[in-house]
Amino acid sequence: MRYSQLFAKTSKTAPHDADSANARLLVQGGYTSQLAAGIYTYLPLGLRVLDKIKNVIREEMNALGAQEVLMPALTPKEPWTTTGRWDEIDVLFKLEGHGGKEYALGSTHEEIVTPLVQQFVKSYKDLPTSVYQIQDKFRNEPRAKSGLLRGREFSMKDMYSFHLTEADFEEYYERAKEAYFNVYRRCGLEALIVEASGGAFSKFSHEFQVLTESGEDLVFHCTCGFAQNKEIAEVKEGDTCPKCGEGTIKADKAIEVGNIFPLKSRFTDAFDFKVAGPDGKPQSVLMGCYGIGPSRVMGTIVEVHHDDKGIVWPRGAAPFDIHVVSIGGKDPDKVLAAAEELVKDIEGCGLEVLWDDRDAPPGEKFADADLIGIPLRLIVSEKTLAKDAVEWKERGSEKTDLLPKNDLLDAVRAWVGLRVA
Ligand code: ATP
Ligand code: MG
């Protein structure tokens, strides 16, 4: 992709109301554009990042054996009254259609998925099963804030699993935890698993929390793995850890990047969803739900991975793998031709390249490359061409190397291999 052809560009001025690093850097970097509080457009660069994150999640959910569906975001009132949540969920966006018919924009989808699965699952032999979707959710958040961290329309992956026995549910729940850790690791995030309130459904749920000063949540945790959200915490900072009996409890701010819940039969009972058991008698169905916000994950990555110059994307979430910057000189056409050849060769290795082909001062191009934050920058200039070389610089490191052109593709392949491993 040629930067000159990208319609949305970087901006030198920070949005006046940016209250967090991601709110500022994603707009300045040309990733997002704010329409209203908590409502964002994803520009070409931003959509690439969001899609990368969604695809990581998709791969991990598919590996769990879950099947992807897409449910409507516009939902009729009836299933919400069946569960009693029409009046219970305070952030539900409600609308009126023709003839006074009432609807809600989905804030979560238990009310839709439970009767959907009930249509097809009739016998214990049809269990376990799990489905997920990646879709925009709508919540009338009283305070939309911190860029992508708390939106009123935001992306969510929501998965729902259905089981005959408690043991089967628990086994799946543990595997889902592992899948979640894989997602965060691949997105360059280190998440803690934290006990949190189970809402109206059960004693606990489990949140995945990324520790950072810009987080809204407070987590009490120990190095042994014990962690509780402030809302249910039975400990305070400085206490001896009740789990290992040795460590000292620390309190840290954190961002909730995922939440999984044992729902038991809260929703299946509401829809009278039972299956024929081995003895032919109707049996209750147990359920779990598993949420991740890809857009909040995107904002969190920026909160955790940035410096004073811009974003520092981990490779798994970067919009492109490599940023090629060509620098004019006395014979600009020669440099452009050499850069074009380099871009083609790298793309031939299956990598994605953003090529800054503009006729602009080098300082401006480097500042933009730092702001955009692609993991590897390669510079082609008259100076490097004279040495039959390319300059190599990784984002987040001050070190630059001059690499012979002949060695470049091998080096790029090794770099990808090393980073992926
Ligand atoms: P919070 O406590 O932050 O309001 P929640 O507990 O209400 O979130 P869940 O219903 O658990 O959210 O949603 C599952 C996931 O969806 C969350 O872990 C988070 O990653 C994401 N998410 C929830 N609300 C928002 C939002 N307003 N904007 C962006 N992502 C969100
Ligand atoms: Mg939650």
Side-chain angles (χ1 to χ4, degrees):
M1 174 93 211
R2 285 170 182 250
Y3 188 82
S4 63
Q5 283 167 18
L6 204 59
F7 93 87
K9 301 285 203 273
T10 59
S11 146
K12 285 198 178 67
T13 45
H16 65 96
D17 56 351
D19 59 353
S20 57
N22 87 88
R24 178 169 60 81
L25 292 172
L26 289 172
V27 170
Q28 279 195 268
Y31 286 91
T32 57
S33 166
Q34 191 181 42
L35 177 64
I39 310 178
Y40 283 88
T41 294
Y42 291 81
L43 298 166
L45 285 182
L47 185 59
R48 290 182 79 96
V49 174
L50 188 67
D51 282 343
K52 290 253 160 98
I53 295 167
K54 287 179 178 176
N55 277 333
V56 166
I57 296 172
R58 197 171 262 131
E59 284 173 19
E60 295 297 336
M61 297 306 114
N62 291 347
L64 261 180
Q67 295 172 47
E68 186 168 2
V69 295
L70 182 59
M71 292 178 268
L74 184 63
T75 67
K77 178 178 181 181
E78 290 72 26
W80 298 94
T81 47
T82 302
T83 61
R85 291 211 295 179
W86 179 262
D87 295 312
E88 208 177 274
I89 300 183
D90 50 1
V91 292
L92 203 59
F93 270 113
K94 297 171 180 170
L95 307 79
E96 201 178 292
H98 288 301
K101 189 163 167 54
E102 290 178 283
Y103 300 88
L105 293 177
S107 62
T108 176
H109 271 72
E110 285 80 4
E111 275 75 1
I112 314 305
V113 78
T114 310
L116 175 76
V117 171
Q118 186 179 18
Q119 283 176 38
F120 301 99
V121 170
K122 303 287 182 194
S123 150
Y124 75 96
K125 290 181 196 153
D126 300 327
L127 294 175
T129 194
S130 54
V131 298
Y132 73 98
Q133 65 173 349
I134 301 175
Q135 189 197 44
D136 275 7
K137 294 278 186 274
F138 299 85
R139 291 187 184 179
N140 197 0
E141 300 276 1
R143 288 171 308 118
K145 60 190 282 253
S146 308
L148 298 186
L149 298 186
R150 184 169 298 286
R152 295 199 166 106
E153 175 177 351
F154 60 95
S155 168
M156 199 202 284
K157 183 283 301 176
D158 43 328
M159 180 170 78
Y160 306 88
S161 72
F162 299 84
H163 310 266
L164 191 69
T165 65
E166 191 71 38
D168 188 59
F169 164 73
E170 268 161 25
E171 190 260 338
Y172 192 85
Y173 195 74
E174 291 310 309
R175 287 206 295 126
K177 284 182 188 169
E178 289 309 313
Y180 268 54
F181 280 122
N182 291 342
V183 168
Y184 302 123
R185 184 180 40 77
R186 291 176 63 184
C187 291
L189 293 177
E190 220 176 288
L192 283 185
I193 188 157
V194 175
E195 283 176 1
S197 107
F201 323 126
S202 63
K203 186 153 180 257
F204 286 132
S205 72
H206 292 90
E207 291 175 345
F208 296 82
Q209 296 272 3
V210 172
L211 302 185
T212 162
E213 259 311 295
S214 52
E216 268 187 62
D217 284 25
L218 191 65
V219 171
F220 294 93
H221 62 106
C222 171
T223 49
C224 75
F226 171 88
Q228 289 183 330
N229 191 308
K230 177 178 175 239
E231 56 178 356
I232 60 146
E234 294 148 336
V235 292
K236 59 181 189 313
E237 187 156 43
D239 281 1
T240 300
C241 173
K243 186 174 169 208
C244 66
E246 286 173 16
T248 306
I249 297 293
K250 273 191 75 195
D252 280 301
K253 286 189 170 174
I255 301 172
E256 179 199 319
V257 287
N259 202 178
I260 62 176
F261 299 78
L263 298 176
K264 307 228 161 91
S265 60
R266 160 74 174 90
F267 293 97
T268 49
D269 282 350
F271 290 98
D272 198 24
F273 176 15
K274 293 195 164 50
V275 293
D279 56 3
K281 290 196 184 125
Q283 218 171 303
S284 270
V285 175
L286 300 174
M287 194 173 161
C289 77
Y290 313 80
I292 296 187
S295 50
R296 186 181 283 181
V297 166
M298 179 168 164
T300 305
I301 294 171
V302 177
E303 293 299 321
V304 177
H305 297 290
H306 72 270
D307 60 19
D308 55 353
K309 296 185 187 127
I311 303 172
V312 186
W313 291 111
R315 223 181 78 80
F320 291 90
D321 300 302
I322 297 177
H323 201 148
V324 168
V325 179
S326 52
I327 295 169
K330 282 191 224 84
D331 189 355
D333 287 345
K334 190 175 151 207
V335 176
L336 278 178
E340 185 163 16
E341 199 188 311
L342 178 77
V343 169
K344 278 202 187 120
D345 287 348
I346 300 171
E347 286 176 343
C349 299
L351 296 174
E352 295 170 325
V353 180
L354 180 64
W355 171 22
D356 191 344
D357 59 333
R358 288 173 302 170
D359 178 17
E364 190 180 321
K365 291 182 158 198
F366 296 153
D368 276 343
D370 282 340
L371 176 59
I372 291 170
I374 292 167
L376 177 58
R377 179 167 93 193
L378 298 176
I379 299 166
V380 182
S381 68
E382 245 163 23
K383 244 178 20 202
T384 70
L385 286 180
K387 293 185 178 143
D388 217 11
V390 171
E391 191 183 292
W392 173 296
K393 183 176 178 298
E394 291 175 31
R395 182 71 179 93
S397 150
E398 288 311 311
K399 202 164 137 275
T400 57
D401 283 316
L402 210 55
L403 229 86
K405 250 171 92 185
N406 287 338
D407 297 346
L408 187 77
L409 290 187
D410 279 345
V412 163
R413 284 194 197 97
W415 175 76
V416 173
L418 284 176
R419 296 293 209 103
V420 166

